[in-house]
Structures are given as structure tokens and as C-alpha cells.
Amino acid sequence: MIKKQYKKSFTLMEVLIATTLLSVVMLSLFQVKSNNIFILEKSEELEKQNMYLNLVMDSKEYSKRNENRYFDKLFYIKDDDIRREFKQVKVKVKDTVLDETIHKVESISFKVSQFKTTYSFEDGISKDIYRFKLEL
């Protein structure tokens, strides 16, 4: 009697299941990569805007400013690429008086003024700086 030898191979069902599992894993990896790229871009954008806000901040005396500051007018830059990028950056500066109180201690009186300066971009990112001033 002659024995037939069969080659071992995968069934159609095994191939379909393996292909399905592989495609699900690949899609999930692509989604994770896409999310990471999105988070990285947002993080870089936020870092860049915080850097811009720090460049615009100043320590000048309070003066009730309500103005827009444009980077290309604040800084002299020779590089055309950086100047083009700075031309698009606009920061709104707003000063407000929070509180003014007069304190008297024996024969000395002094005035304490509290100020808040808000630096913000059009898209809503902002930074608040609080100051106080003592006057005799």
C-alpha cells in the first residue's frame, strides 16, 4: 500500500485570521503615530508662542497700555526668513489696575498699587504678569 504524503500548509481560515490581526495591529500603530505627531506639533507651537510672549514682555513702568505689538517693529532682524515669520506675530498688551490702597503707619503714609499686564495672542494663549508699586 502506498502512503500519500501531504504537504503541511495553512488553511484558508488561518490565513484570513492572521491577515485580519495583522491589519488591526498595523492600523492601531499608525493611529498612535498620528496622535504622537499631533501632540508634538501642538507642544512645539505652544513652546514657540511662550517664547514669543517672553520676548515681548518688558519691565517698564506701568502706563495703561492697550496696544498691539508686532515683532517686526520691536526687533531689527537682518535674516529675511525670520523677519517674515516675525511679521505675522502680533501680541496684544493690556494693563489694568487691580487695587490701590493707602497705608498709614504713624507719621509715614505710603501707597501700594497693584497692576496686571496681560500679553495674549489672537488664538487665546496668554500670560499674566502681576506687579506692585510702592510710593511714599
Side-chain angles (χ1 to χ4, degrees):
M1 199 186 249
I2 301 175
K3 283 189 175 180
K4 289 188 177 179
Q5 293 185 349
Y6 293 102
K7 291 183 180 180
K8 294 184 179 181
S9 62
F10 295 108
T11 64
L12 180 61
M13 188 60 78
E14 290 172 333
V15 171
L16 289 175
I17 290 173
T19 306
T20 305
L21 287 174
L22 187 61
S23 64
V24 167
V25 169
M26 292 293 284
L27 285 175
S28 64
L29 287 176
F30 284 134
Q31 185 65 35
V32 167
K33 180 182 175 189
S34 173
N35 288 345
N36 287 342
I37 290 173
F38 175 75
I39 290 171
L40 182 64
E41 287 174 353
K42 282 295 185 183
S43 173
E44 288 175 351
E45 177 83 17
L46 184 62
E47 181 182 353
K48 187 184 221 180
Q49 289 182 348
N50 278 330
M51 181 190 64
Y52 287 161
L53 285 176
N54 287 332
L55 284 173
V56 171
M57 285 186 210
D58 60 6
S59 58
K60 293 179 185 173
E61 191 171 328
Y62 170 75
S63 61
K64 286 194 177 181
R65 296 170 292 183
N66 288 318
E67 62 186 15
N68 294 325
R69 291 188 173 184
Y70 296 90
F71 271 51
D72 62 332
K73 298 198 175 38
L74 288 174
F75 304 105
Y76 176 72
I77 298 167
K78 291 183 180 181
D79 188 5
D80 289 336
D81 294 333
I82 295 175
R83 195 170 359 150
R84 258 185 252 118
E85 182 179 342
F86 273 15
K87 193 171 190 174
Q88 299 171 4
V89 178
K90 177 177 87 170
V91 178
K92 183 177 180 183
V93 180
K94 183 174 181 182
D95 287 327
T96 54
V97 178
L98 296 177
D99 188 26
E100 290 184 336
T101 56
I102 298 175
H103 300 279
K104 292 182 182 180
V105 178
E106 295 179 11
S107 63
I108 300 174
S109 68
F110 58 94
K111 179 180 175 182
V112 178
S113 303
Q114 297 174 359
F115 306 104
K116 173 182 159 185
T117 304
T118 303
Y119 298 91
S120 60
F121 287 103
E122 293 175 341
D123 62 1
I125 295 175
S126 67
K127 238 181 206 187
D128 295 331
I129 302 297
Y130 296 91
R131 308 175 194 193
F132 69 92
K133 182 178 180 182
L134 293 172
E135 296 178 62
L136 295 175

